[in-house]
Amino acid sequence: MIQGEAWYMIRQLLREGVSVSEIARRTGCDRKTIRKIREAASHPARQERRKRASKLDPYKPYLRRRAAAGVLNAVKLLGELRRQGYVGGITVLREFLHDLRPAVPIVTDLAPGADVLATPGRG
């Protein structure tokens, strides 16, 4: 279905009396789509997408407990999850762990020549 500005443009052309066939030519939409818009009482409400379940969902409480205990190594946790029956990949696990990692404060007022600690992937 047509969304946003295109929908309103088609409605405007219909109000101006432009034929369905002409609107279809101008917009590249099918004539049936133009007719559906013409017959619609108002702009269709946007539908919320359903959140898909993740293979990681059953293991998230366990991962939160391990993260609270300070274990945030994705490779180590993947091994633990595999022993529990997890069949997903490490990328999904890393993305989940990213939000559990504590934020590293950024220090901007260092004296010249001071050593700087950097956390890979956090900057």
Side-chain angles (χ1 to χ4, degrees), residues 1-66:
M1 191 62 158
I2 303 293
Q3 295 289 324
E5 243 179 80
W7 191 89
Y8 290 106
M9 180 189 71
I10 292 169
R11 291 291 287 214
Q12 179 63 36
L13 291 171
L14 288 166
R15 276 193 297 275
E16 292 172 2
V18 179
S19 72
V20 171
S21 295
E22 179 59 27
I23 295 172
R25 273 191 291 278
R26 289 184 192 181
T27 62
C29 296
D30 191 83
R31 287 177 302 173
K32 288 181 271 182
T33 302
I34 306 300
R35 285 189 198 108
K36 284 181 188 177
I37 293 171
R38 180 183 64 192
E39 294 162 10
S42 65
H43 192 281
R46 189 175 195 105
Q47 293 181 345
E48 292 293 322
R49 291 184 181 183
R50 283 184 240 135
K51 186 164 173 61
R52 288 176 37 181
S54 167
K55 292 178 183 178
L56 195 60
D57 284 347
Y59 306 96
K60 285 181 179 179
Y62 173 78
L63 290 170
R64 286 188 185 97
R65 286 194 304 274
R66 294 295 283 149

Side-chain angles (χ1 to χ4, degrees), residues 74-96:
V75 175
K76 178 177 177 116
L77 289 170
L78 180 64
E80 294 174 13
L81 293 181
R82 294 262 191 238
R83 287 189 286 282
Q84 295 178 30
Y86 175 67
V87 293
I90 194 166
T91 304
V92 173
L93 176 59
R94 283 185 173 141
E95 288 172 356
F96 177 74

Side-chain angles (χ1 to χ4, degrees), residues 102-110 116-119 121-123:
V104 178
I106 299 173
V107 180
T108 58
D109 57 344
L110 295 174
V116 177
L117 296 176
T119 304
R122 289 293 207 160

